[in-house]
Amino acid sequence: MIKILTVIGARPQIIKAAALSRCIKESYSSEIKELIVHTGQHYDQNMSQIFFDELGIPKPNMNLSVGSGNHGVQTAKMIEGLEEILIAEQPDAIVVYGDTNSTLAAGVAASKLHVPIVHIEAGLRSYNKKMPEEVNRIMCDHASTLLFSPTKAGIENLIKEGFKTTNLQPYTMNNPGIFHCGDIMYDNSLHFSKLSDQQSTVLDDNDIEKDKFVLSTIHRNDNTDIPERLSGIFEAILEIIENHNISFVLPLHPRTNKLLKQNTSAELYLNIKSEKRLKIIPPVSFLDMIALEKNAKIIVTDSGGVQKEAFFFKKPCVILRPETEWVELVSCGAAKIVGWHKDKIISAFNDYYTTTNVSFPPLFGDGKAASFMCAKMIETFE
Ligand code: UD1
Ligand code: UDP
């Protein structure tokens, strides 16, 4: 029996953890004991608890309750708390997801104590080191023992940075194993899609008509914190609504909610608030999010996860960023990178509005990524 300690903190990590925990429970419960630590990076009911309630994720064994703060303070508090837990629990490995400050903190705490790191979503790169996430993921990858990449591009990025596909067991921090194993979020989307069909009432609750609305999410600091950029995005949204007489549904991240008034002009803010076809709602549960994604006409987002889910549910996606880690989406034509420029957003939207032949080739595995990871962890740490 191996003991792993999974660290989660931000919304997408909580959702991703559902796939691994479910797989352990269903197929590996006699071989893997999982402890879960929540750093408390996200803490609002609908940024955290809602996912535990809905997705069957085991209650975290520990919660560091670090909350929000400047990156240094937030990350330092997490490192301190995680170090204590690692010393007390002595796990065989620590499991981390993605690229948030929770990922970085876990990577730092574990590597100093020589606890092997398993990095899920390894190898992704935006090649923009001004993004906090880019630094977090590079640092975490380079201290990891098992690196699970959801995409081929991720493996190629790792190879460019000196990782080798030819390394053999025993894997260590100095002899890491890198694996292209599909996307754990694809596992989740397949699993929860049926449940969403049965349970979600989000469309009716918000008076939303199938296929007659655009789903949008905005939370990237690069967009929310710079008035010119946040304004460009909202001006584009308002113009698209007017041009096509189409609704936008925008489950708004608390970060954006807090900055919307401050970082838009009084006139734009008033227009945003008075436009009935722009439905700004609180963040929704994952089952509701899937229902929105499956029934939207087009998705407009700066989220990493939502870009991919758009693809899983065969929806074209306008990416409100100047680059993406999910390069395959763009190269196959299912997504367009536009950044925050009003005219570029409108133009990409119009292209997808009139096109019907967008293709969605299978790029993210077979929905069994979590099982591959469990087997590899057992083989490595037993
Ligand atoms: C973080 C991740 C980002 C990820 C996103 C997922 C980092 C550096 N960034 O960004 O990669 O895409 O999570 O959603 O780790 N807030 C609340 N309630 C909450 C959580 C946050 O009000 O439950 C507000 C606070 O004002 C906080 C702000 O949102 O200061 C930002 O939260 P933070 O966790 O620092 O970063 P995110 O923008 O959420
Ligand atoms: N999500 C959700 N409710 C929302 C918005 C997003 O459940 O209101 C889910 C979404 O389906 C995806 C994940 O949260 O699985 C993406 O998280 P986010 O956009 O916060 O972060 P990113 O993926 O950009 O790191």
Side-chain angles (χ1 to χ4, degrees):
M1 173 82 108
I2 63 164
K3 177 171 165 185
I4 61 167
L5 194 138
T6 296
V7 177
I8 54 179
R11 167 170 66 189
Q13 296 169 321
I14 302 169
I15 299 171
K16 283 164 202 164
L20 196 72
S21 297
R22 188 174 62 246
C23 181
I24 293 171
K25 191 171 153 201
E26 284 171 4
S27 312
Y28 296 94
S29 59
S30 57
E31 289 150 294
I32 302 179
K33 176 180 164 61
E34 183 187 35
L35 295 179
I36 299 179
V37 180
H38 191 329
T39 63
Q41 178 170 351
H42 286 175
Y43 44 84
D44 287 351
Q45 163 70 21
N46 54 3
M47 293 296 285
S48 176
Q49 188 57 42
I50 198 173
F51 303 109
F52 291 95
D53 297 342
E54 190 183 59
L55 306 181
I57 309 161
K59 187 175 172 333
N61 302 80
M62 291 146 268
N63 193 321
L64 301 175
S65 301
V66 300
S68 304
N70 288 343
H71 287 245
V73 173
Q74 187 185 51
T75 311
K77 282 186 190 161
M78 292 177 194
I79 294 173
E80 195 180 356
L82 288 168
E83 187 174 64
E84 268 179 37
I85 292 171
L86 286 169
I87 290 169
E89 293 294 339
Q90 303 276 314
D92 294 301
I94 191 168
V95 175
V96 298
Y97 293 93
D99 51 25
T100 72
N101 287 347
S102 298
T103 318
L104 174 66
V108 173
S111 59
K112 302 283 176 180
L113 293 168
H114 303 171
V115 175
I117 300 166
V118 177
H119 190 194
I120 298 179
E121 275 197 358
L124 299 176
R125 297 290 180 265
S126 64
Y127 292 98
N128 173 8
K129 285 189 188 156
K130 287 190 174 164
M131 270 183 92
E133 293 86 352
E134 182 77 350
V135 175
N136 291 348
R137 55 173 92 99
I138 292 173
M139 290 169 89
C140 188
D141 275 346
H142 283 263
S144 292
T145 290
L146 290 185
L147 295 93
F148 293 121
S149 175
T151 59
K152 243 192 185 157
I155 290 289
E156 281 158 15
N157 292 334
L158 290 172
I159 292 169
K160 275 188 228 154
E161 290 172 22
F163 287 89
K164 297 191 186 76
T165 50
T166 47
N167 284 358
L168 298 173
Q169 292 267 23
Y171 298 120
T172 64
M173 216 189 331
N174 292 317
N175 180 51
I178 65 172
F179 305 95
H180 175 205
C181 59
D183 192 334
I184 200 158
M185 277 309 293
Y186 186 50
D187 297 17
N188 259 343
S189 293
L190 290 180
H191 181 82
F192 289 114
S193 173
K194 255 195 217 136
L195 220 58
S196 166
D197 292 345
Q198 291 158 3
Q199 293 184 11
S200 176
T201 55
V202 70
L203 298 190
D204 287 346
D205 295 348
N206 291 283
D207 212 7
I208 301 165
E209 252 189 283
K210 280 185 183 184
D211 212 33
K212 298 239 168 71
F213 70 97
V214 179
L215 173 66
S216 184
T217 73
I218 303 159
H219 77 277
R220 220 30 82 191
N221 64 315
D222 229 21
N223 286 331
T224 59
D225 300 6
I226 301 174
E228 183 201 342
R229 297 181 182 176
L230 195 60
S231 302
I233 291 170
F234 275 93
E235 281 167 10
I237 290 176
L238 291 175
E239 203 164 310
I240 291 169
I241 290 174
E242 203 50 50
N243 289 346
H244 299 283
N245 189 21
I246 193 166
S247 298
F248 260 70
V249 178
L250 182 56
L252 205 57
H253 191 289
R255 167 182 210 113
T256 321
N257 197 29
K258 286 176 182 159
L259 289 165
L260 188 57
K261 189 167 189 184
Q262 181 186 320
N263 285 344
T264 54
S265 69
E267 189 192 352
L268 179 57
Y269 186 72
L270 191 70
N271 290 341
I272 292 167
K273 289 286 163 176
S274 59
E275 176 51 73
K276 294 278 180 298
R277 292 165 292 181
L278 173 51
K279 294 172 193 278
I280 299 184
I281 59 175
V284 296
S285 76
F286 188 54
L287 296 186
D288 284 348
M289 193 61 185
I290 291 178
L292 291 170
E293 290 167 342
K294 284 174 92 167
N295 290 295
K297 188 168 171 59
I298 295 173
I299 296 181
V300 175
T301 187
D302 62 10
S303 159
V306 178
Q307 279 173 51
K308 257 182 315 156
E309 288 161 13
F311 186 86
F312 299 157
F313 296 120
K314 301 189 170 21
K315 305 293 170 176
C317 182
V318 175
I319 303 174
L320 303 171
R321 286 184 45 201
E323 71 277 306
T324 180
E325 301 77 28
W326 305 102
V327 290
E328 296 85 351
L329 306 181
V330 178
S331 51
C332 78
K336 290 181 197 283
I337 291 177
V338 296
W340 47 82
H341 303 279
K342 178 182 157 190
D343 293 343
K344 285 192 189 164
I345 298 170
I346 294 172
S347 159
F349 182 90
N350 288 345
D351 285 350
Y352 280 140
Y353 195 78
T354 48
T355 313
T356 46
N357 63 343
V358 181
S359 65
F360 302 89
L363 291 172
F364 293 95
D366 55 5
K368 297 193 177 96
S371 187
F372 178 92
M373 291 170 192
C374 286
K376 199 50 84 178
M377 284 195 278
I378 294 166
E379 196 184 304
T380 306
F381 301 118
E382 219 169 19

